[in-house]
Amino acid sequence: MSEFLKNLRSNQGYNQKQYDAKYKGQQQNRNKGGGGKQQQQQTADIPPYLKALFDDLAPAIKNYLNQAAESQARVAAAHEKNAQAIEKMMEALPELIQQAPLRREPRKRKISARKQELLDLIKKLRDENMTYEEVAAYLEKNKIPTFSGRGRWHAQTIHRLYMYYP
């Protein structure tokens, strides 16, 4: 480990000596009792242009701080509304879980006779214990076109059709 890191971790070293001397000096000044006059003299030594600058900036700073406080109040109100909404959702969650279907409902669309025949064929093949891949291969082998007439049959497509169009 480098010397710098050792000194830093052990709080010893070159920099610590400088700070120790500085702090000891400040403590000695406080103990002498002469600090009161020095503070009064320091505040009296503020140049007039700095006082004028502060007087000019004070209203703008006050306005900014007021706007920041109002903004924080609006943020706090929004967080409170979010917390209330989450609380309502959590209260309703058990009821929603009980009402939720375990299986997705079949779509209520009109299906053409050709599509219905294909869906019946897929169901029949699945009932014969064929996998989705085997059903897709069977449809491809027998050159049965997809619904769009383009593309190929895939196991995932067969799975979706079987699950959503029982």
Side-chain angles (χ1 to χ4, degrees):
M1 186 183 300
S2 73
E3 200 64 28
F4 170 75
L5 290 176
K6 283 182 183 176
N7 290 337
L8 184 64
R9 289 187 177 159
S10 65
N11 289 330
Q12 296 176 356
Y14 179 73
N15 290 334
Q16 186 65 31
K17 291 177 186 175
Q18 286 181 337
Y19 292 129
D20 286 343
K22 180 179 178 182
Y23 293 133
K24 287 178 185 174
Q26 286 179 350
Q27 289 171 353
Q28 290 173 359
N29 286 341
R30 281 189 221 134
N31 294 336
K32 289 182 181 177
K37 290 181 182 178
Q38 286 179 345
Q39 281 184 334
Q40 289 174 358
Q41 187 178 16
Q42 285 177 351
T43 56
D45 291 343
I46 296 175
Y49 69 91
L50 286 180
K51 286 182 183 179
L53 180 64
F54 178 75
D55 291 341
D56 290 343
L57 291 177
I61 292 170
K62 184 177 179 181
N63 184 30
Y64 173 77
L65 291 175
N66 286 336
Q67 288 177 351
E70 290 171 6
S71 175
Q72 287 297 317
R74 287 192 302 268
V75 168
H79 282 297
E80 183 63 30
K81 285 182 181 179
N82 284 345
Q84 290 171 355
I86 291 171
E87 188 176 326
K88 285 181 183 178
M89 285 186 343
M90 294 308 290
E91 288 172 358
L93 191 61
E95 184 179 325
L96 291 173
I97 289 173
Q98 289 176 353
Q99 293 175 357
L102 296 177
R103 185 173 172 191
R104 188 171 171 183
E105 292 293 320
R107 296 182 185 188
K108 297 189 168 104
R109 293 183 181 174
K110 290 185 179 181
I111 301 173
S112 69
R114 178 186 173 280
K115 288 183 181 181
Q116 189 59 52
E117 287 175 16
L118 262 171
L119 293 171
D120 291 340
L121 176 62
I122 290 170
K123 183 166 177 41
K124 180 183 153 220
L125 294 173
R126 284 290 297 154
D127 290 343
E128 293 174 4
N129 293 326
M130 289 180 79
T131 65
Y132 297 118
E133 284 185 32
E134 291 170 344
V135 173
Y138 174 85
L139 295 174
E140 282 293 314
K141 179 181 158 192
N142 292 319
K143 298 186 181 186
I144 298 173
T146 61
F147 292 147
S148 66
R150 294 178 272 146
R152 301 177 58 194
W153 289 104
H154 297 280
Q156 185 175 7
T157 307
I158 303 300
H159 178 261
R160 277 196 216 122
L161 291 172
Y162 184 75
M163 295 302 287
Y164 299 129
Y165 295 101

